Amino acid sequence: MKVFALLDCNSFFVSCERVFDPSLKNRPVVVLSNNDGCVIARSREAKALGIAMGEPVFKLEYIFNKHRVAKRSSNFALYSDMSARVMSVLAQEVEHKEIYSIDEAFILLGDTSKDSPSKLITRAKEIQNIVERCTGIPVSIGIALNKTLAKVANKIAKENGTGVYSLYFDQSDLALAEAQIDFCLSEVKLADVWGVGRGYEKILSQRGIKTALDLKYVDRDWLKQVASINAMRTVLELAGKVCLDLDATAITSQNKSIICSRSFGSKVKTLPEIKEAVASFVASAAMKLRVQNQELKSLQVFLRADDADHYRGRQLAADYNFSEPTSYTPDLIRAAFVILDDIFEEGLSYKKAGVVLSNFANKEDKQLAIWDAQLSNTGQKQELSNLVDGMNLSLGLNTVFWAASGAKRSNNEPKPGWNAKQGHRSPCFTSKWTDLPLVY
């Protein structure tokens, strides 16, 4: 029987910041959302001060000043790169893994037929130490006989500070093993069970189900009437069954759509500014598309008016359908501008814009029309795209960029209004040569 483990990076965004700024260690740290509006990540020290996830920054200034809380604007280029490093190290240590999110991965840790609980705890601690030594990111690992219980074990590992916790017990006495698991489940709140959303939590709470243990022994006939098959799988896994294996396709599967959007740092009222923003989003999304070796058939652009206007935040959007699949950024930017000319309304202030790429086709399976006038340019477009992507990946994002996304501004020039507010952003230590940390 397989033994699963969930590796989860501790306070991941904060840990990434601490890797390159040791002065942040043992100090309360928060990472802020786009435009520095609210808290999206907290260190253990910040949590101890009562700072809640999602709390607006303006309400916390007194606490920040009193307790010297360090604020950092979100730096997703840094976090994405550090995530890739963690997963790369993990891939060298285990044969089978499923990347679940930017800071989590399920792994196949061992087998009950040959691995004792103590042996797998030792192995998990080895992996924990290797990941932190190679990346600087501390991780917690939960061990169990299925993925749902591994999630529970991981939560316990984080809360008790041990870093590694196992719900895989000696299988020679199954009754004792189940009693030990039940004790742990009785300490886990219903809202903390993997797969239980707010909707289900409300329904289950009305029936007196408050903990993971209550959910394990829920009336399954009743549950079938009010919940989905996924909820039933959660219950079965809490009971020790294996319903969810490692998803081997999770590592290589392609996104069905790509979204790139941003809330603006200030209100934007002019079409040229909107076009700069959207061109920038298109370029970013198109690069992700090409990394997947995909092309798209449909592009959507959307705008959201400011709440102060008569639209009250209403979203304006339209689609553009291509006759042939493409991933060439200039083609996508031209299509996006066609949409903007149609949906943009003078007199409104806009607070957000974005693009959605969808209806993908594999580049290798592309069929071109026999009389396509662009056929002779296909190879040139591909070469130019590869050149631009290669320079940006090796030298740093936006080393080369499309002119439609605006001219590069000096430090003395004001940034365009569509740029997000990032008053506390750390340098892009891993993706810009100019931001490399210096050692004296």
Side-chain angles (χ1 to χ4, degrees):
M1 189 174 183
K2 298 176 181 178
V3 181
F4 298 84
L6 175 68
L7 180 143
D8 188 4
C9 301
N10 299 340
S11 302
F12 180 58
F13 292 173
V14 171
S15 295
C16 291
E17 300 287 350
R18 283 174 165 172
V19 168
F20 296 95
D21 187 353
S23 68
L24 298 178
K25 292 184 177 180
N26 302 318
R27 179 182 174 187
V29 182
V30 295
V31 175
L32 309 178
S33 64
N34 282 336
N35 295 310
D36 296 341
C38 59
V39 174
I40 61 171
R42 306 156 293 163
S43 66
R44 183 183 291 270
E45 297 82 359
K47 293 176 184 178
L49 295 176
I51 297 174
M53 184 71 81
E55 198 162 1
V57 171
F58 73 88
K59 290 185 177 181
L60 299 168
E61 290 299 343
Y62 174 75
I63 294 177
F64 289 165
N65 294 330
K66 180 179 179 181
H67 298 281
R68 293 183 60 251
V69 178
K71 296 179 287 186
R72 291 293 181 269
S73 303
S74 51
N75 188 344
F76 293 112
L78 174 64
Y79 309 149
S80 177
D81 192 59
M82 294 303 294
S83 173
R85 294 185 184 192
V86 170
M87 299 308 169
S88 176
V89 171
L90 188 59
Q92 298 174 33
E93 297 300 318
V94 298
E95 185 176 356
H96 302 288
K97 76 177 189 300
E98 173 192 336
I99 299 175
Y100 181 65
S101 69
I102 192 172
D103 61 345
E104 294 177 284
F106 287 103
I107 60 176
L108 188 58
L109 191 63
D111 193 289
T112 58
S113 64
K114 57 183 180 180
D115 298 313
S116 66
S118 59
K119 178 182 177 180
L120 293 186
I121 289 176
T122 300
R123 175 59 180 147
K125 289 181 178 178
E126 289 176 355
I127 294 173
Q128 180 189 44
N129 291 333
I130 290 170
V131 170
E132 185 167 7
R133 184 174 71 246
C134 294
T135 68
I137 303 294
V139 300
S140 296
I141 300 178
I143 306 168
L145 295 180
N146 61 49
K147 292 165 75 173
T148 300
L149 289 176
K151 268 275 193 179
V152 172
N154 185 277
K155 178 175 176 57
I156 296 173
K158 283 193 170 185
E159 290 181 345
N160 64 19
T162 59
V164 173
Y165 193 84
S166 178
L167 289 178
Y168 163 44
F169 300 105
D170 190 349
Q171 299 297 289
S172 62
D173 190 339
L174 294 179
L176 177 60
E178 185 168 1
Q180 291 172 308
I181 292 174
D182 281 359
F183 175 77
C184 293
L185 294 180
S186 68
E187 301 294 316
V188 177
K189 296 178 182 178
L190 180 63
D192 294 328
V193 178
W194 186 37
V196 177
R198 291 184 179 179
Y200 283 144
E201 182 188 359
K202 184 177 180 180
I203 294 173
L204 295 168
S205 297
Q206 291 174 347
R207 199 174 174 87
I209 299 168
K210 305 293 184 181
T211 67
L213 183 62
D214 295 335
L215 183 59
K216 175 180 177 179
Y217 293 105
V218 69
D219 183 341
R220 295 180 186 176
D221 290 333
W222 170 79
L223 187 65
K224 289 178 182 177
Q225 299 175 17
V226 299
S228 68
I229 185 64
N230 289 330
M232 183 58 68
R233 287 178 181 142
T234 296
V235 171
L236 291 174
E237 291 223 328
L238 289 174
K241 306 295 183 182
V242 180
C243 302
L244 303 168
D245 204 347
L246 282 188
D247 185 359
T249 64
I251 304 170
T252 58
S253 64
Q254 310 293 352
N255 295 323
K256 294 182 179 179
S257 65
I258 295 175
I259 302 174
C260 187
S261 63
R262 182 182 300 164
S263 295
F264 301 146
S266 58
K267 297 178 184 179
V268 176
K269 298 183 178 181
T270 67
L271 182 57
E273 278 191 290
I274 293 283
K275 284 187 173 181
E276 278 192 12
V278 169
S280 176
F281 302 156
V282 167
S284 178
M287 183 173 173
K288 295 178 183 178
L289 183 69
R290 290 190 292 270
V291 168
Q292 295 184 180
N293 199 35
Q294 299 270 49
E295 295 182 326
L296 65 83
K297 297 180 182 178
S298 299
L299 169 69
Q300 182 186 87
V301 178
F302 64 86
L303 301 175
R304 186 167 296 165
D306 188 76
D307 291 339
D309 291 309
H310 69 275
Y311 269 90
R312 304 297 297 174
R314 177 184 170 189
Q315 186 162 291
L316 308 172
D319 295 338
Y320 187 101
N321 296 314
F322 294 90
S323 58
E324 297 290 345
T326 182
S327 62
Y328 187 50
T329 300
D331 289 345
L332 303 185
I333 291 176
R334 280 191 287 268
F337 285 0
V338 170
I339 296 174
L340 285 174
D341 288 336
D342 184 47
I343 66 175
F344 180 84
E345 294 194 18
E346 294 285 352
L348 293 181
S349 299
Y350 296 93
K351 66 176 183 179
K352 186 176 183 178
V355 298
V356 182
L357 281 54
S358 60
N359 198 4
F360 295 161
N362 193 295
K363 190 179 296 184
E364 305 300 329
D365 301 331
K366 179 177 179 179
Q367 287 186 328
L368 294 173
I370 192 170
W371 302 115
D372 190 351
Q374 301 298 320
L375 185 58
S376 60
N377 296 329
T378 301
Q380 295 176 359
K381 290 180 177 181
Q382 184 63 52
E383 288 180 8
L384 180 57
S385 296
N386 292 341
L387 180 63
V388 172
D389 291 346
M391 294 179 69
N392 285 329
L393 288 171
S394 62
L395 301 177
L397 296 178
N398 292 322
T399 298
V400 179
F401 58 94
W402 302 99
S405 59
K408 185 170 286 188
R409 291 165 170 82
S410 68
N411 293 332
N412 298 326
E413 293 180 282
K415 292 184 177 181
W418 57 268
N419 269 4
K421 293 178 181 177
Q422 292 184 308
H424 310 281
R425 202 200 74 176
S426 56
C428 294
F429 294 110
T430 62
S431 56
K432 283 187 178 181
W433 288 105
T434 55
D435 286 357
L436 286 178
L438 300 178
V439 179
Y440 297 95

